[in-house]
Amino acid sequence: MMKKSTALFQQLEQTVARLYAEYAETECKKIHRKFDRALFSEDFQSFPFYLNEIRQTLAHIALLEEAKDTEALHFLSDKLTAQCNALSEALKTPTPHTKSAVNFKPVLSEREKLKQALNQLPPRERLTKYYEALQALNEKLERQTDLYQSARQEQDKIRYTQQIDITRQRKKRCLDAIELLEEYLAFKEN
């Protein structure tokens, strides 16, 4: 991997190195944990699998630094930090089936906490948040399409196609939620 000179990249690279150093002895250990799909592509894999995905994120950050794409750089930096934290937490805490039923408390991801908070909002406020999310997804889809069109390597085009598909699925779910909520509000008003 190329060495980058920016302080942000060096800090992220050190975070990954610390994670590896701290858990290198778990090299072949399978991690019995479900992760947020935004962080890792699969669940119940070994430490090297997750470390490889973290290193891929770090490599993407290196490319974005060269392209000076600050918005995507910020997003991926946050993702990398969340990946390291999630993996570290999964390795520190016992797997759910080893905890006693009395002490077991489900650990919610940030996305699940935000989803719960969103679902507790009144319908009109929730609809506003859904429209904001739809706008953000449209902007993300536009950026991903631009990245796809400017990609030169087939591997990059495949990756961008996958990202576009995921964003389109999220957009469809968002549109479905908006439609359902608008129908509910129209029904309630009548």
Side-chain angles (χ1 to χ4, degrees), residues 62-176:
L63 293 173
L64 290 173
E65 276 193 328
E66 289 175 9
K68 306 221 183 305
D69 187 347
T70 55
E71 189 176 324
L73 185 64
H74 180 72
F75 171 78
L76 281 181
S77 298
D78 288 347
K79 177 182 176 178
L80 185 121
T81 303
Q83 282 178 314
C84 289
N85 290 340
L87 184 56
S88 179
E89 190 62 33
L91 290 165
K92 282 180 189 173
T93 58
T95 56
H97 66 275
T98 61
K99 292 183 179 183
S100 76
V102 177
N103 295 331
F104 179 72
K105 291 180 185 174
V107 179
L108 297 177
S109 70
E110 286 300 313
R111 182 175 275 179
E112 290 168 332
K113 288 177 186 176
L114 289 172
K115 192 174 179 181
Q116 277 187 347
L118 181 65
N119 288 334
Q120 291 174 356
L121 290 175
R124 290 253 176 243
E125 288 179 44
R126 195 174 338 144
L127 187 60
T128 302
K129 294 288 184 189
Y130 285 166
Y131 274 112
E132 290 170 5
L134 180 62
Q135 181 179 352
L137 287 168
N138 282 332
E139 291 168 2
K140 183 176 183 178
L141 197 54
E142 193 174 303
R143 282 191 310 271
Q144 289 172 334
T145 303
D146 290 344
L147 286 170
Y148 172 83
Q149 290 171 348
S150 65
R152 293 192 175 110
Q153 296 181 358
E154 191 61 31
Q155 182 181 2
D156 290 337
K157 288 191 177 223
I158 292 169
R159 183 169 36 95
Y160 292 134
T161 301
Q162 291 169 341
Q163 290 175 354
I164 288 169
D165 289 343
I166 291 169
T167 305
R168 283 184 179 149
Q169 290 169 3
R170 290 179 64 201
K171 180 180 174 181
K172 183 184 180 329
R173 287 195 306 267
C174 187
L175 285 168
D176 291 345

